Amino acid sequence: MKMARTLCLCLLLTPFVLMSIRADAVCSEDELITELRQDIEDNGKLDCLRDVCPPQGEEEDEMTRNKRLAAQWDSDCAFEAEGAGEADWFAKLQNFYGVRTLVNVEGEPVEKDFDDQADMCEIIRALLKANKVPNAGDDVRTLNVEFVDSIDCAGAEGQTEVCAATGGSYPQKYSWYILLDGGALQLGDFPKFVISTDTPAFLQVGEDLESVVKMVRGAKKN
């Protein structure tokens, strides 16, 4: 069951970018890590699928069925984003993370993201193939699930750390914003940034998330 949350995100990432989002659904770091872990534990890959079909021509035992169903992306992190204008997440992958292309489950380059696959999962898969995840390698066909512990989304420890949010309803593709600006999504020590007092970024979290989270990550690369 998806939980609606109210979140006001105000990001001042450069002197020229000011963006405010009122969010009614949130992809949190905990949800993202759980989804990734369950996907990989099914077959060692990131299929990123919202619906995983049962095997054809063979009987599926209960354990295999449970792993397959758990591998389906069905949380708030399973959204599909339109990714246009300021919310163009692939452009941000290129600019902030040096990722040149998205890839399919076998690591082969593709021209665009898949409509039936979760965008957050496709982003992580592309980062893996581009060898941007420390100590994970670039073979997306045989993944070690432990790399998921290196994922860090925007926010403070002990609070809800936000990877993406929408100001509309979950199915509205145009309203999703994935927090990639200024290294808001980090994997271990990548990307590396230095604190810049003139380009602050902060999150203001609603009452249902218990407190205000303030986060500063500069937008200047080492």
Side-chain angles (χ1 to χ4, degrees):
M1 179 180 179
K2 295 180 174 63
M3 295 185 296
R5 302 182 182 92
T6 300
L7 177 70
C8 178
L9 300 180
C10 297
L11 298 178
L12 180 59
L13 295 161
T14 73
F16 312 102
V17 179
L18 178 63
M19 182 273 294
S20 296
I21 304 174
R22 181 174 178 79
D24 295 315
V26 170
C27 169
S28 70
E29 178 185 307
D30 288 344
E31 284 180 323
L32 178 61
I33 289 175
T34 296
E35 290 276 26
L36 291 167
R37 187 178 293 278
Q38 290 174 334
D39 194 346
I40 295 169
E41 287 175 347
D42 180 41
N43 61 2
K45 303 177 183 181
L46 281 175
D47 296 290
C48 303
L49 295 168
R50 299 182 188 90
D51 295 297
V52 181
C53 297
Q56 299 296 313
E58 60 183 88
E59 189 173 346
E60 186 179 37
D61 61 37
E62 183 177 359
M63 180 178 294
T64 303
R65 179 178 181 275
N66 289 339
K67 287 177 68 174
R68 173 177 62 82
L69 293 177
Q72 294 182 156
W73 284 68
D74 54 9
S75 72
D76 281 345
C77 291
F79 66 86
E80 186 73 13
E82 189 174 271
E86 289 295 330
D88 187 342
W89 55 264
F90 182 63
K92 296 178 193 298
L93 267 185
Q94 293 176 307
N95 295 335
F96 288 104
Y97 298 86
V99 172
R100 296 183 178 181
T101 182
L102 298 176
V103 296
N104 64 18
V105 66
E106 301 297 333
E108 300 163 337
V110 294
E111 293 185 0
K112 63 185 295 290
D113 65 301
F114 296 94
D115 291 338
D116 62 345
Q117 298 182 19
D119 286 347
M120 287 303 304
C121 181
E122 293 185 88
I123 287 170
I124 299 299
R125 192 168 63 194
L127 287 164
L128 285 163
K129 181 60 182 178
N131 204 16
K132 303 298 185 180
V133 184
N135 305 314
D138 62 357
D139 189 352
V140 298
R141 297 168 299 175
T142 54
L143 294 171
N144 182 342
V145 72
E146 299 309 317
F147 84 84
V148 301
D149 292 329
S150 70
I151 294 173
D152 184 21
C153 293
E157 289 292 333
Q159 305 294 330
T160 296
E161 297 178 62
V162 181
C163 308
T166 174
S169 66
Y170 172 85
Q172 291 177 334
K173 297 180 181 181
Y174 66 85
S175 66
W176 277 97
Y177 195 94
I178 302 173
L179 302 182
L180 297 173
D181 313 71
L185 171 68
Q186 289 196 287
L187 303 107
D189 59 358
F190 176 81
K192 291 183 178 180
F193 291 84
V194 295
I195 297 300
S196 174
T197 56
D198 62 348
T199 57
F202 60 91
L203 297 176
Q204 292 184 339
V205 181
E207 292 180 351
D208 57 326
L209 298 182
E210 296 181 358
S211 66
V212 173
V213 176
K214 292 185 179 180
M215 185 268 298
V216 176
R217 276 188 185 149
K220 297 180 179 180
K221 294 183 181 179
N222 282 336

